[in-house]
């Protein structure tokens, strides 16, 4: 795998590991609040708005192969309830752990994959560059995994009325009278008829009843 693109130490998501001195067992703890990058989350569903504060707590540990980074990110995500479509906010806490390898990690005791081994793991490795590492790709993966695929404003959100779209949480007694589909067509016909037509039909029905009685 190619090394990371040249990193800028001024980027708030780029961290310096020189203090560890490539001494296995050396530890460093960091806290930092950064602005959320663009599209941090599930696009179109829920995510941390660009520029919103993201609190990071990191533990950097030097090992033979590189630096093991363990941490937690905390932020407020915004989205839309999938049931009632109302805006929502959700406190986010995403844990992560990632190994950032030294460029010469294989020369420092790393076991080289045997022929036939799955090479995908090696392709996904992240590397240190001049003692720096970029946390953004790790942060993005962690946030996506921590966010719900179908966010709701509350667990018991009743959603919207399937017939008229009203928000049921605002009107718990909301309902529609059920109509027997066998009579629905007749009710529609009756609603379009003029009063005179109704009277004629009623009169015809009455005469038919009289004739039927006379025949009997």
């Amino acid at each position: 795998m190619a090394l990371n693109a040249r990193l800028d130490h001024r980027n708030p998501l780029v961290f310096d590991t020189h203090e560890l001195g490539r001494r296995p067992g050396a530890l460093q703890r960091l806290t930092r609040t950064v602005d959320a990058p663009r599209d941090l989350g599930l696009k179109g569903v829920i995510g941390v708005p660009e520029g919103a504060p993201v609190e990071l707590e990191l533990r950097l540990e030097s090992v033979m192969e590189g630096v093991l980074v363990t941490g937690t990110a905390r932020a407020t995500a915004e989205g839309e309830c999938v049931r009632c479509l109302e805006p929502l906010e959700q406190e986010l806490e995403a844990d992560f752990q990632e190994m950032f390898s030294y460029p010469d990690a294989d020369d420092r005791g790393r076991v080289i994959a045997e022929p036939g081994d799955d090479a995908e793991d090696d392709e996904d490795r992240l590397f240190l560059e001049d003692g720096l590492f970029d946390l953004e790709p790790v942060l993005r993966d962690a946030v996506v995994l921590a966010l719900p695929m179908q966010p709701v404003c509350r667990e018991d959100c009743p959603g919207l009325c399937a017939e008229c779209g009203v928000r049921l949480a605002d009107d718990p007694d909301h309902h529609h009278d059920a109509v027997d589909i066998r009579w629905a067509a007749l009710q529609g016909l009756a609603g379009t008829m003029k009063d005179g037509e109704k009277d004629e039909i009623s009169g015809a029905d009455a005469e038919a009843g009289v004739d039927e009685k006379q025949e009997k």
Side-chain angles (χ1 to χ4, degrees), residues 78-124:
E78 297 180 2
E80 185 179 86
C81 177
V82 296
R83 297 179 187 170
C84 68
L85 307 183
E86 288 293 310
L88 62 82
E89 289 188 351
Q90 178 176 320
E91 295 305 311
L92 166 72
E93 184 170 308
D95 297 323
F96 51 85
Q97 185 174 72
E98 187 65 49
M99 170 67 77
F100 289 87
S101 300
Y102 295 120
D104 57 348
D106 288 342
D107 298 330
R108 294 175 58 82
R110 181 176 181 272
V111 178
I112 301 176
E114 294 294 334
D117 286 353
D118 189 352
E120 291 185 2
D121 290 342
D122 194 64
E123 293 177 356
D124 292 336

Side-chain angles (χ1 to χ4, degrees), residues 4-216:
N4 298 329
R6 187 163 185 82
L7 301 181
D8 184 352
H9 69 278
R10 294 169 297 182
N11 184 332
L13 285 172
V14 170
F15 292 81
D16 191 334
T17 67
H18 284 100
E19 186 175 321
L20 296 175
R22 295 185 72 159
R23 301 185 305 272
L27 295 174
Q28 184 180 6
R29 296 182 184 276
L30 300 172
T31 59
R32 183 180 295 182
T33 299
V34 302
D35 293 340
R38 180 182 302 177
D39 298 330
L40 182 59
L42 300 169
K43 191 172 183 179
V45 180
I46 187 172
V48 181
E50 182 179 1
V54 180
E55 297 178 2
L56 299 173
E57 292 184 5
L58 303 180
R59 179 179 184 270
L60 281 54
E61 180 180 1
S62 179
V63 296
M64 287 294 295
E65 298 176 22
V67 175
L68 180 65
V69 178
T70 304
T72 301
R74 297 181 179 88
T76 301
E78 297 180 2
E80 185 179 86
C81 177
V82 296
R83 297 179 187 170
C84 68
L85 307 183
E86 288 293 310
L88 62 82
E89 289 188 351
Q90 178 176 320
E91 295 305 311
L92 166 72
E93 184 170 308
D95 297 323
F96 51 85
Q97 185 174 72
E98 187 65 49
M99 170 67 77
F100 289 87
S101 300
Y102 295 120
D104 57 348
D106 288 342
D107 298 330
R108 294 175 58 82
R110 181 176 181 272
V111 178
I112 301 176
E114 294 294 334
D117 286 353
D118 189 352
E120 291 185 2
D121 290 342
D122 194 64
E123 293 177 356
D124 292 336
R125 291 173 63 202
L126 298 176
F127 288 86
L128 293 166
E129 179 187 306
D130 296 330
L132 304 177
F133 69 86
D134 184 2
L135 189 66
E136 182 171 340
V138 177
L139 177 64
R140 287 188 178 279
D141 290 344
V143 167
V144 168
L145 291 175
L147 289 172
M149 296 294 294
Q150 295 187 317
V152 292
C153 58
R154 68 187 202 200
E155 291 298 327
D156 60 346
C157 175
L160 303 176
C161 174
E163 295 191 36
C164 67
V166 69
R167 188 168 181 261
L168 297 177
D170 297 333
D171 186 4
D173 298 325
H174 179 81
H175 70 281
H176 293 270
D177 294 329
V179 177
D180 192 322
I181 59 175
R182 294 171 296 179
W183 296 103
L186 293 177
Q187 289 182 351
L189 178 62
T192 59
M193 293 175 59
K194 297 180 180 178
D195 292 339
E197 294 174 335
K198 294 179 181 178
D199 293 340
E200 291 177 3
I201 293 177
S202 299
D205 291 342
E207 291 178 2
V210 172
D211 293 341
E212 184 177 351
K213 290 180 180 179
Q214 291 177 349
E215 290 176 0
K216 291 182 179 178

